[in-house]
Every structure is written in structure tokens, then in C-alpha cells.
Amino acid sequence: MALTLTSSSIPLFSLKKLCFIICLLCYSSTTFAQDLTVVKGRVFDAKSKQPLPFVDVTFKGTYVGASTDLDGQYKIKTKNPSDTLMATFVGYKTSYKLIAQEDRNRVDFYLEEEGIMGEEVTIIGKKAKYKKKNNPAVELIQKVIANKDKNRIESQDYYNYEQHEKIEIDLNNITQDFVNDKRFKNFSFLWNYLDTSEVNGRTYLPLFMREILSTHHYQKEPKIEKERRNAVKMTKFDESIDLHTVTGAIDLLYDPVDIYENSISILDNDFLSPLAPWGVNYYRYYIIDTTYVNNQSAIHMAFIPRNKTFIGFTGDLYISNDDKYNVLKTVLGVTKDIALNFVRDIKVVQEFREQDGIYIKNRDEITLDIAITDGGLGMYGKRNSVLENFTFEPPDDPNLLTGLGSLIEAEDAYEKPESYWSDNRLSQLTEKEQGIYEMIDTLVTIPTYKRLVLTTKIIATGYIPAGHIDIGDLGAFFSNNDVEGWRFRFGGETSHSHSSKYQLEAYAAYGLRDKKFKYHGAFTYSLTDDWRKNPKNLLTASYTHDVIFPGLQLEFIEADNFLTSIRRGEANQMLFMDKYSLTYFNDTDFGFYKLGIENTARRPYGSMKFLATRDGMTRNISDVHTMELNVAVEYSPNATFLQGRKNRVPVIDNVPRFQMSYTGAFKGILGSEHAYHKLALIAKKRIPLSIVGRSLAEMEVGKVFAGDDLPYILLYIPRANQSYSFQRNSFNTMNFLEFATDQYVRFAWQHFFDGYLINRIPLIRKLNLKEILTAKIVWGSLTNRLNPSNPGNEHLIQFNENENGQAFTYPLEGNRPYIEYGFGIYNILRFLRFDLVKRANYLDHPNVEKLWGVKGLGLRVKMKVEF
């Protein structure tokens, strides 16, 4: 079976992976002379010979290391070791062992106890069977959980505070071989900025810095949260990069962490909080000792997932040593066996202090260590937030709590002068942090760096900058289909440097089999100062003379992209369109709305025919001509979007999105032959289900109101996919133009288990595979007077037939919805996803695929980078 790999982000760049792609480019262009140093072993109590969990095993002089699991086991892989390994644990003497660098080592430690001064100290000694019943640690965490609603700051009617956020992204694991590489001789000034991580000891080079000064406001009833960003400052790598886009991408890497929430989202993975009510069944808790946090007595508790491969934290909680059970400090990390792609380490540190009897967060840090391989070059990012000036009264200005959006940016947020930053920073920049801005100012002037940026932009966007014109889309330059044969297309658009007020785009295409030219042109004018920046306010006029597959609608990639060229079954029914359109698009606080007018003539192409009875004779209808008014509205006031090259790309998060679309056609206007009204309502939602993964659900309800002469190609045609790639928004076992209906309900569901089931299988769980279930249903019917198959409806354009007299198109039967379902495995080699999809019914239709002798069964594949 021929398979085609595709990605929903090609050629559009998934901005959420901005830093990861930079890491990938750097990694792929660099070789390392060193071999990995691998050390594994166990740590025991020297007296009892019982294994010790939570022991830190690191290379002396660095923070490169790991913590032991419940069986006392650890494993470290690195290209930057020292020659000495040490094991440290509270209540025990530190032990040291020499190792062989660039080799594989087996090192076991036997730690001896030492005296500890202090009251109420409990040390984990013997490894007894873990039990929840009569376990002081479990009893303590249950009291913390029972009191968390009143202890969290959200229990207050109002709160306000100021925040200074600093995010730094670095290239880490810089080796001497890397520094000495002749290919980087033009970048030698960078090595003056090398530093060593305080978290894991890796040598790193700062590359990016962003600061935000903001005020935050909260109201309990009704619940309102507002973040107002007063100033944003960051390093700028290239003039053509939109700073708002970079800000949105960075925000996605650092979702807010609230230890009191049941589920905590990091890198689009839902971690169960150790304070979740069902956490006692997911984690093991251990009381370590007592200590002090912010001069307050605290009980130190450690915790770890029962299954170290589950999506969960390992770390420490420091709980107030009184009857209030407040969290004073938390340190969150992940186990080395967790199924997170490219993530070597995560560390979250938060501290809380008391103000007026209320515990407020005064320290908030999150560190991400991302890389292709465990010991290779990677990206190291740290967000450090300072929170000050808390108040617990309604804000002086009640307007601060009004409006639909939760995130508001000042109009001049990105233009604040340096004097503003000097006067308003809550924490001053260190000399190293200030140096990042200075370093990038020098870096962007180097020709080698400019070439790297250019290459990255071409790969990311699919366009080649050429002065005032950007040539592309490269992914659509050649493709293949049954009607046109090999199709060649060349196009481009004016660049932002040519004009920020308008943009021209055009392409020309030619098919070697049909020997026909196709073309498209568009002119977009911005009613704001810049068509690239959000919120957008655009007016677009276009003309298209090209072919389409009815029912083929792809998100983010062109329908003639070469990745969709290999198709199953017959794919030779096409429409040749001549379409004039005028569209107005406007971003708003609640989402967006779009108004458009389209004048379209559709001609049958390929094997498609428009046959209908006229004056008692069967005739070929030359075309179907309509004049349409289109209205589309989305309500998603708190949804997150990232700006792609042209369109805003919705980020799949927990915020529901609601869409409404209306199309009305008017007979007799500019050649329009038909009158009808289409209405559709769509709801989309990501549903986090904590330890069992997350679901993506989408529902659509639609209706077509029309007279007795409406051709079936103007009805609702379910979105089909005849390629071997998995398409999230299409029916993957349905054929183009297979169904037509005028009233329908569509439901699509995907559930990502994130390894919750498959990681319970002992041998398979080492592969870090993840599983997914999918289901898609469309339930509808076709009104009798609009069904060409019904007697008396010969005046309608008839459903096409194949050589055997079988129809290609059918009405959906009201009592029999179309159903397909599937099971998939993803995270194969970190990039691949394979889905077995099964068509449940309508198996008697022509061109139904068969796999392994099972009719309606198909294999689909997808390539995607995700954490």
C-alpha cells in the first residue's frame, strides 16, 4: 500500500514549536566528537541494605543527574560529565564514586546515616510495602486537600497584583567541541556569554529574553479574571518577525501553574496535581522531615507517581506545620521515564507567604529543558515571575473588570521607552540578562546568521523571500490527480516590506493531462496600519479560475499540496470554478466575524456530468451559477490563537469555541440561477480528563432551505478524505461527493490516552507509545423534493454513475447515520502516528476500500511534532 506522510502544519509553521525548531536546526547542523557517558545503578541504606528512593545522584561540580525511583534505581546519560558521581540524601552522608567518561558504568551506592539536629524529623529508612491505610503522609495530604478551597487565593472576593515576568531561552549543553567548530568562527563573540545552569549544571548560551509588566485583577462572583499587559519587551531576531506572534508562541510554552487545581497543563499535557482528590490513588506520599519556609515551620513531604511512566509529577510539598494546612512551597519535577517528547526535565518552584491572613504567591519559576536526544544540544527555558503589591478590594476603576477577553494589551505595549522599564521593573535585570539584548543586537548583523534565519523562514512558511515578492507556496508547486495528471503551479505574493497596507497574491497552474491553465489572483487591503498585525481588519477581493474536488476541504494546506497527491479509489469528479469574491474580515474581543459576496460559476470537470431532463429530453447542463452572501461569526472570547503567515491558527485549549455561518443565494442577480439559505452552527471543545488523557469534541448542526430546483452540489457535502494521510476534520473512509443532504448533525471525537493504557504493558511501555480512539458520525437526510433519485425529480441534476451504473453520490438515510471509528498509536519514533480506521456502514457503495480482507478498513498515517 502506498502511503503519504502529511502534517497539519505543512507548510504553515506551528508557532508553538518555535524554539524547538531552532533547536532542531542547530542540532542537525552540528556533530559531536564525544560519546555519551551512561551511568546506572541503585542506592541502598548501608545498614539495612534496603533501596532508597528520592536520592539525588549527580556529577560532582554540575547539576547533571537524576533522582532514584521507589526501587532506588537511577540512570543518567550525558555528553558533559565530570569524573566523579555523588549521591546525596537528607539524613545520610554524601558518597562519591569515580566513573569512566564516554563509557557505560554500573555504580551502586550504600549510604550511611548521619545525625540530624531538629525536632519531629522523619527519615525514610526501610522500604516497606506502601499502604494508604494508617499512613501519616496520606492522612496529611488528605487534610491539605480538604482545606485547599479556603486556602487558595481564589477564595477571596477580589484580588489585584502587579507582575514582572522574565522569560529566558538558552541553547544548552554547549561543549568545547561546539565552541571550537570552525563553522562557528564568525560567532566567536557569543562564547563571552556562556554560563552554567543552576538547575542541571549544563553549559548554556542565552538566546532570547522577554519581559512583561502587567496588572492582574480577579473577581469571584461572577468569576472574572483579567491580565492587562502594560509593557512587553523582547529580543528581536528579524525585522519580519511579528512580536505579537512570538509573544503568543512563548505564552503557550508556559501555561500558568496552579498547584491547587486538580489538573495542571504543561506543554499541552495534563498532569494530575498532587493536591487532586484522587491523587492519593495516583501518587505515593512520604513525610521526609520538618523545616522552615519563609521563617514558618513546615512539614516536608515528597511524592512520586505509583507508575513512573504516567503523566504525573515527582517532587516536594512544604505544608504549614499547624491546623491550617497551607502550601508554603512546592517543587515539581518529572520522572525520567515519563512519555514526554523532547523534554529532558521540567522544574516548577513556587513559594507562598502570608499577607493579612491570606497566603499569596511570592515566587513562581518554571524551567523547561528540551532537546532531540538526552545528551545532545538542547533548549533551556526559564520563566521567573515577581508578584507584588497585592490588594483584596475591588479595583479603583471598575472598568478594569469589563470586556470579554481575559488578556488585554496596551496599544503601546511594545513601544515603551527604556525609561519606563527602568522606573517600573519590579526586579532589575542582572548583568547577564542585560547582555542578552546586547548580544542579539550584534548577532543579527552577521551574514551567516541571516542565512540561517532565511533558511528557517523558508522551511517554516513555505515561501522564499525575493525582495518585494515572496515566492510560494512551495508545497503546492507540484501535485497529481486523476484529471489533471501532474499539476505544476507557480505563485507568490507581495511581502510586508513592499507594503504594510495591502498585499497582492497570484498563482498560475497547468495540468499535463488536461492541458489547461488555471490561475488565481487576490488583493487584500488593511483598514488598520498593518495587515500583518492583530487584530486584523481586512478587505479582500479575489478571482479564481481553477478546479476543486467537491467535499475536499483541508485546513492549513492547499488542496493541491503534493502530500495529498496519492489517493485511494476513483478521484476524477471535479468542478471547474470561475469565482469572484469580495470579503471583509474583522477580529474582535469576542472572536471574529466575516462578511463576503461570491459570484461563482461551476462547470463539471473530469468524469463529472450535469445531466437533467429539460423539455422531456436529457441534457447536459453547462454550469451552475450562483450569487451568494456569506456571513461567518466565531464566539471565543478567551480562546488562544497564533498568527500564521496569513491566518490565525486556533490553539486547541480548554476554552470552547462557537461558530455560526450563513450563506444566502439570490436568483436573478448577476446571472445567479438559484435561491437558497444555508445555516450551520458549530461547537468545539477540548475536554481535559486528567490521568486518563484528553478529548477533542466537535459538533455541527446544519440546514439548507431551498426551493424545488436546487442542484445537489449546492447542498451539504460532508468533508471527505481519499488520501492515506489522517485528516482530523474529514471523514477518512468516505469518498469525495459520496453523500449529499440538506439537514444534518455531525459529531467528531478524539480521545488521547497519553499512554495511560499502553504503558501498563511491561515490555511495550519502554517504547513510550501513546494511544488514541476516534469516532466520527454524520446523521442527516435529504428532502424528497431535492433528491434526484426520486421519481418526478428528473428536472434536477442527477447523481453521477460509474460504468457499472452505480451512483457515486447518495442521500444520507435519516435512520442510518454514517459512522467511522478508529484506533491509533502515536509517538512512534516521536514523529509518526498510525490509525486503523473502520467504516461501520454503507459498505455496499462503490470504491469502499478493503484492507486485510476487511471491507471498510483502512490505514492512515500522520507526521506531527508534539511534546
Side-chain angles (χ1 to χ4, degrees):
M1 177 183 296
L3 299 178
T4 299
L5 301 183
T6 187
S7 168
S8 61
S9 62
I10 298 175
L12 182 67
F13 182 39
S14 176
L15 292 169
K16 185 175 181 179
K17 311 302 186 300
L18 173 65
C19 301
F20 171 76
I21 294 297
I22 296 174
C23 168
L24 178 62
L25 289 173
C26 293
Y27 179 84
S28 62
S29 63
T30 306
T31 59
F32 298 93
Q34 294 170 275
D35 292 326
L36 277 175
T37 298
V38 180
V39 186
K40 64 180 181 179
R42 301 182 73 183
V43 181
F44 302 90
D45 181 288
K47 184 177 181 180
S48 67
K49 303 300 187 292
Q50 294 294 321
L52 292 175
F54 310 120
V55 178
D56 291 327
V57 182
T58 58
F59 287 100
K60 184 179 179 182
T62 79
Y63 285 86
V64 178
S67 297
T68 59
D69 61 16
L70 294 176
D71 296 317
Q73 296 179 338
Y74 72 92
K75 184 176 181 180
I76 308 171
K77 294 190 295 183
T78 183
K79 290 186 177 180
N80 301 279
S82 64
D83 61 359
T84 303
L85 199 67
M86 64 181 187
T88 58
F89 189 48
V90 63
Y92 287 81
K93 297 178 181 178
T94 300
S95 178
Y96 301 89
K97 300 272 189 177
L98 291 174
I99 59 102
Q101 295 178 322
E102 301 183 18
D103 202 351
R104 305 182 70 88
N105 298 261
R106 170 79 193 196
V107 178
D108 294 334
F109 289 91
Y110 291 85
L111 302 186
E112 298 179 355
E113 292 187 55
E114 65 179 1
I116 297 180
M117 302 298 295
E119 299 179 355
E120 304 178 35
V121 176
T122 305
I123 300 297
I124 300 175
K126 294 183 179 180
K127 183 196 173 189
K129 183 178 179 181
Y130 184 87
K131 296 181 180 179
K132 291 191 296 180
K133 188 175 182 181
N134 298 323
N135 185 332
V138 173
E139 294 172 0
L140 176 60
I141 199 66
Q142 287 176 329
K143 291 177 181 178
V144 176
I145 294 170
N147 286 273
K148 71 176 187 176
D149 285 341
K150 69 177 182 180
N151 286 338
R152 63 190 305 181
I153 194 172
E154 284 78 11
S155 65
Q156 304 302 308
D157 292 332
Y158 296 92
Y159 65 76
N160 314 275
Y161 64 88
E162 297 178 7
Q163 178 173 298
H164 179 196
E165 176 189 277
K166 293 187 289 188
I167 288 180
E168 181 182 326
I169 297 178
D170 316 307
L171 192 66
N172 70 19
N173 255 13
I174 303 293
T175 66
Q176 192 61 42
D177 291 329
F178 186 93
V179 172
N180 294 334
D181 195 314
K182 294 181 179 179
R183 288 173 292 181
F184 299 104
K185 63 181 181 180
N186 293 330
F187 299 92
S188 58
F189 74 96
L190 294 176
W191 314 140
N192 297 325
Y193 296 90
L194 290 176
D195 207 338
T196 303
S197 167
E198 296 178 358
V199 175
N200 56 23
R202 293 190 173 101
T203 302
Y204 68 90
L205 175 68
L207 285 180
F208 176 84
M209 182 80 181
R210 187 190 76 175
E211 297 180 85
I212 294 178
L213 298 178
S214 59
T215 55
H216 295 248
H217 308 280
Y218 170 84
Q219 174 182 286
K220 185 177 181 181
E221 297 291 343
K223 185 177 180 180
I224 299 174
E225 293 181 90
K226 299 287 183 182
E227 177 187 353
R228 297 183 178 272
R229 292 182 172 176
N230 305 309
V232 181
K233 181 180 181 180
M234 69 181 75
T235 51
K236 191 171 183 180
F237 293 95
D238 185 78
E239 289 297 325
S240 65
I241 296 177
D242 178 34
L243 298 183
H244 294 79
T245 300
V246 176
T247 294
I250 297 299
D251 285 344
L252 291 179
L253 288 173
Y254 291 96
D255 290 323
V257 174
D258 186 349
I259 190 65
Y260 286 108
E261 289 288 343
N262 293 332
S263 182
I264 298 173
S265 180
I266 297 180
L267 299 175
D268 201 34
N269 288 268
D270 294 314
F271 291 77
L272 183 69
S273 170
L275 301 188
W278 51 92
V280 293
N281 298 315
Y282 194 78
Y283 289 104
R284 294 184 178 185
Y285 301 88
Y286 300 89
I287 293 177
I288 303 298
D289 61 7
T290 58
T291 185
Y292 286 86
V293 176
N294 291 329
N295 297 319
Q296 184 171 350
S297 179
I299 301 173
H300 177 194
M301 173 185 289
F303 60 91
I304 193 169
R306 288 174 175 265
N307 186 324
K308 58 186 178 181
T309 64
F310 283 177
I311 300 292
F313 294 112
T314 180
D316 304 270
L317 292 170
Y318 297 82
I319 301 161
S320 62
N321 195 7
D322 54 25
D323 59 355
K324 296 180 180 179
Y325 305 103
N326 281 287
V327 175
L328 303 180
K329 180 179 178 180
T330 180
V331 180
L332 306 178
V334 294
T335 66
K336 301 300 179 183
D337 299 301
I338 196 170
L340 279 178
N341 286 333
F342 317 113
V343 178
R344 288 191 291 209
D345 203 2
I346 295 175
K347 186 175 183 181
V348 180
V349 180
Q350 295 182 334
E351 291 186 8
F352 302 81
R353 62 177 175 83
E354 186 178 4
Q355 177 180 316
D356 302 327
I358 303 166
Y359 280 83
I360 61 175
K361 189 185 336 181
N362 67 303
R363 182 185 179 189
D364 187 7
E365 296 179 2
I366 178 170
T367 301
L368 305 174
D369 188 358
I370 302 171
I372 301 292
T373 62
D374 288 338
L377 199 67
M379 299 298 292
Y380 172 82
K382 180 173 69 174
R383 185 190 68 189
N384 189 344
S385 298
V386 176
L387 297 78
E388 291 185 0
N389 302 324
F390 279 81
T391 62
F392 301 96
E393 300 293 334
D396 296 333
D397 183 0
N399 292 325
L400 294 176
L401 293 173
T402 61
L404 292 174
S406 60
L407 176 61
I408 302 98
E409 284 186 349
E411 290 186 5
D412 62 342
Y414 292 84
E415 286 84 38
K416 287 292 198 305
E418 187 58 41
S419 58
Y420 179 91
W421 287 95
S422 300
D423 295 339
N424 291 277
R425 281 190 178 101
L426 300 182
S427 62
Q428 295 304 309
L429 295 182
T430 65
E431 183 177 347
K432 182 198 72 173
E433 291 170 336
Q434 183 61 45
I436 299 176
Y437 290 116
E438 299 170 357
M439 181 189 70
I440 298 302
D441 289 341
T442 304
L443 180 64
V444 297
T445 65
I446 298 177
T448 305
Y449 170 79
K450 292 180 179 180
R451 289 193 292 270
L452 175 62
V453 170
L454 176 61
T455 302
T456 304
K457 288 167 63 175
I458 293 173
I459 295 173
T461 66
Y463 283 79
I464 302 174
H468 292 286
I469 297 176
D470 293 339
I471 300 172
D473 177 354
L474 299 181
F477 269 20
F478 65 93
S479 59
N480 184 278
N481 62 67
D482 293 345
V483 179
E484 297 176 280
W486 282 105
R487 170 186 166 110
F488 296 90
R489 178 177 131 172
F490 183 81
E493 57 193 27
T494 57
S495 64
H496 184 264
S497 61
H498 174 75
S499 174
S500 61
K501 286 291 291 183
Y502 69 86
Q503 185 180 47
L504 290 165
E505 63 175 279
Y507 70 76
Y510 183 79
L512 294 183
R513 180 175 298 168
D514 67 346
K515 301 186 182 339
K516 297 287 186 181
F517 280 102
K518 299 90 180 176
Y519 42 87
H520 163 84
F523 173 78
T524 298
Y525 182 80
S526 176
L527 301 178
T528 62
D529 293 335
D530 193 334
W531 55 260
R532 190 174 62 180
K533 291 184 178 179
N534 291 314
K536 285 181 167 49
N537 195 357
L538 305 174
L539 190 64
T540 301
S542 69
Y543 172 67
T544 302
H545 177 78
D546 206 346
V547 296
I548 64 166
F549 283 103
L552 173 61
Q553 303 174 47
L554 302 180
E555 285 194 330
F556 313 140
I557 66 175
E558 300 286 351
D560 56 354
N561 191 285
F562 76 95
L563 293 174
T564 64
S565 294
I566 301 177
R567 298 185 174 96
R568 58 181 176 80
E570 297 182 45
N572 50 21
Q573 293 191 91
M574 303 186 78
L575 294 176
F576 209 128
M577 292 197 315
D578 284 284
K579 181 171 68 175
Y580 300 86
S581 68
L582 181 65
T583 304
Y584 172 71
F585 177 86
N586 192 358
D587 278 324
T588 68
D589 290 340
F590 62 79
F592 69 83
Y593 66 89
K594 182 166 62 173
L595 306 174
I597 298 174
E598 292 184 357
N599 188 290
T600 309
R602 307 164 182 85
R603 293 185 283 119
Y605 204 60
S607 66
M608 176 171 279
K609 298 178 181 180
F610 287 173
L611 297 177
T613 300
R614 298 287 190 269
D615 301 324
M617 298 181 63
T618 300
R619 300 182 183 275
N620 282 301
I621 308 301
S622 61
D623 61 22
V624 173
H625 200 154
T626 61
M627 179 70 179
E628 297 176 336
L629 170 67
N630 301 305
V631 180
V633 179
E634 174 167 297
Y635 180 79
S636 52
N638 293 312
T640 303
F641 293 85
L642 288 178
Q643 182 59 46
R645 180 174 178 84
K646 295 181 180 179
N647 305 312
R648 292 198 314 165
V649 182
V651 175
I652 300 174
D653 53 22
N654 298 337
V655 178
R657 297 168 55 210
F658 301 96
Q659 298 172 338
M660 184 278 291
S661 66
Y662 164 78
T663 299
F666 306 95
K667 193 172 184 178
I669 300 178
L670 296 178
S672 182
E673 303 167 329
H674 302 281
Y676 54 88
H677 304 276
K678 296 180 182 179
L679 185 65
L681 302 173
I682 304 176
K684 304 177 182 181
K685 180 73 168 70
R686 179 185 187 272
I687 306 170
L689 296 173
S690 190
I691 60 176
V692 294
R694 63 196 187 278
S695 288
L696 303 180
E698 179 176 331
M699 177 174 283
E700 178 181 2
V701 179
K703 172 70 176 175
V704 180
F705 303 90
D708 297 339
D709 63 342
L710 192 67
Y712 72 92
I713 61 168
L714 297 179
L715 299 174
Y716 171 71
I717 308 295
R719 183 180 297 178
N721 172 33
Q722 285 189 221
S723 75
Y724 292 104
S725 65
F726 185 89
Q727 299 290 339
R728 180 171 62 91
N729 294 313
S730 301
F731 288 91
N732 287 284
T733 58
M734 186 185 291
N735 298 318
F736 299 144
L737 206 62
E738 185 173 354
F739 293 97
T741 179
D742 64 327
Q743 49 194 353
Y744 64 94
V745 176
R746 178 181 63 86
F747 178 75
W749 173 78
Q750 292 188 85
H751 184 76
F752 298 82
F753 284 97
D754 289 333
Y756 180 76
L757 300 177
I758 205 167
N759 282 338
R760 296 174 183 271
I761 305 174
L763 295 179
I764 295 180
R765 70 186 181 191
K766 294 185 184 231
L767 300 175
N768 283 333
L769 301 178
K770 302 181 182 182
E771 63 277 55
I772 181 174
L773 291 179
T774 63
K776 296 177 182 177
I777 301 171
V778 57
W779 197 325
S781 62
L782 182 55
T783 303
N784 288 331
R785 58 185 172 79
L786 296 177
N787 187 349
S789 303
N790 285 349
N793 289 343
E794 291 81 6
H795 65 287
L796 295 174
I797 292 177
Q798 299 297 296
F799 293 141
N800 279 212
E801 297 180 348
N802 61 18
E803 296 177 354
N804 300 321
Q806 291 179 296
F808 279 116
T809 308
Y810 300 82
L812 275 170
E813 301 173 17
N815 61 349
R816 190 161 66 122
Y818 178 91
I819 302 173
E820 70 177 35
Y821 54 88
F823 173 77
I825 298 291
Y826 64 107
N827 205 39
I828 301 171
L829 302 176
R830 299 189 179 187
F831 294 98
L832 294 177
R833 165 179 166 177
F834 286 91
D835 286 78
L836 274 177
V837 288
K838 179 65 172 70
R839 177 178 175 138
N841 50 8
Y842 294 98
L843 298 176
D844 56 336
H845 287 191
N847 296 325
V848 174
E849 68 179 311
K850 182 185 292 187
L851 179 66
W852 302 320
V854 179
K855 197 168 187 180
L857 182 66
L859 179 65
R860 302 291 181 266
V861 64
K862 186 174 185 178
M863 184 171 67
K864 187 176 182 181
V865 177
E866 61 183 5
F867 293 110

